[in-house]
Amino acid sequence: MTAPTSRLPLVLALASAALGLTFALFTGHVWEDYFITFRSSLNLATGHGLVYEPGQRVHSFTSPLGTLLPAVFALGGGENVIPRALWCYRLVCAAALGTALWLALRTMRRDGLAPVAIGAAGLGWALDPKVLDFTVNGMELGLLILFIAVTWHALTQGARLGPCALGFAGLQWTRPDGCVFFGVLAIAWILFGRNENAGVTCTWRQRSGAVARGLALGALAYLP
């Protein structure tokens, strides 16, 4: 593997994050759902609770991380609290998208895909307009893609307990339907995964057990 090829995942990951932030800088596009959610974030940051209207205990958001992270960035208030929280959240989501791409391309390289295939997949990802937009316009897509990539990577490594649990918990903290993404990947691996992991024979029952353990630990991390 040549040096330029070995750096390809990192280069494309950085390009993806940079393109998303550049798009946000030039368009200023923000999805209206972000502002609905941010009202709850701001109320939490200013001591009024995780509510849309202080005193009314109504669940008004979809993504826990998409609400809690802007709340952290809004701490301290100030005149620039709205753009500050938004841009900090954009930076986190762009970094998450870049990390997901880096992890996915590293996994492809580990599994022996040709450099041209890795490059094509990476460019398709890095230049996808919907992915870039919904990563930096206040939505949680960058985080969702990151935890999908973490789950996929963990499963291809034999459903290692820690990463597998992180993937499930992260998906659930990102979206309430995150379990669907985890379930699809896990079922596919249980049914069609390699019969050997690290040189050890692995039956579908063993794969099921490994997934169940990761799921249980991930559920505990999601409980808060």
Side-chain angles (χ1 to χ4, degrees), residues 79-125:
E79 294 182 0
N80 297 320
V81 62
I82 294 177
R84 182 182 75 233
L86 175 60
W87 271 100
C88 287
Y89 186 53
R90 280 171 166 164
L91 287 169
V92 168
C93 290
L97 180 65
T99 302
L101 179 55
W102 173 81
L103 183 59
L105 297 183
R106 291 262 302 185
T107 303
M108 294 176 189
R109 195 182 70 177
R110 182 203 67 196
D111 290 341
L113 268 71
V116 65
I118 295 174
L123 283 174
W125 185 324

Side-chain angles (χ1 to χ4, degrees), residues 1 65 72 78 90 98 100 106 114 134 140 153 163 171 183 188 195 213:
M1 190 70 69
L65 283 180
V72 171
R90 280 171 166 164
R106 291 262 302 185
F134 278 86
E140 66 277 0
H153 182 75
L171 284 168
N195 290 327
R213 289 189 290 273

Side-chain angles (χ1 to χ4, degrees), residues 56-222:
Q56 297 183 14
R57 297 174 65 84
V58 176
H59 189 106
S60 59
F61 59 90
T62 300
S63 171
L65 283 180
T67 307
L68 295 175
L69 286 174
V72 171
F73 302 139
L75 290 173
E79 294 182 0
N80 297 320
V81 62
I82 294 177
R84 182 182 75 233
L86 175 60
W87 271 100
C88 287
Y89 186 53
R90 280 171 166 164
L91 287 169
V92 168
C93 290
L97 180 65
T99 302
L101 179 55
W102 173 81
L103 183 59
L105 297 183
R106 291 262 302 185
T107 303
M108 294 176 189
R109 195 182 70 177
R110 182 203 67 196
D111 290 341
L113 268 71
V116 65
I118 295 174
L123 283 174
W125 185 324
L127 299 176
D128 187 289
K130 287 197 299 183
V131 169
L132 294 179
D133 187 17
F134 278 86
T135 293
V136 296
N137 68 3
M139 295 293 95
E140 66 277 0
L141 184 62
L143 298 170
L144 181 70
I145 292 176
L146 171 61
F147 291 118
I148 288 174
V150 168
T151 299
W152 172 51
H153 182 75
L155 291 172
T156 61
Q157 293 276 46
R160 293 166 56 197
L161 181 60
C164 195
L166 174 63
F168 176 74
L171 284 168
Q172 284 299 107
W173 274 96
T174 302
R175 289 190 58 85
D177 58 355
C179 57
V180 175
F181 296 94
F182 183 91
V184 169
L185 291 171
I187 291 172
W189 182 69
I190 290 171
L191 294 178
F192 307 112
R194 293 177 180 173
N195 290 327
E196 290 189 1
N197 287 301
V200 178
T201 300
C202 181
T203 67
W204 72 267
R205 287 188 176 86
Q206 291 172 316
R207 291 196 291 270
S208 298
V211 168
R213 289 189 290 273
L215 188 62
L217 182 59
L220 287 175
Y222 178 59

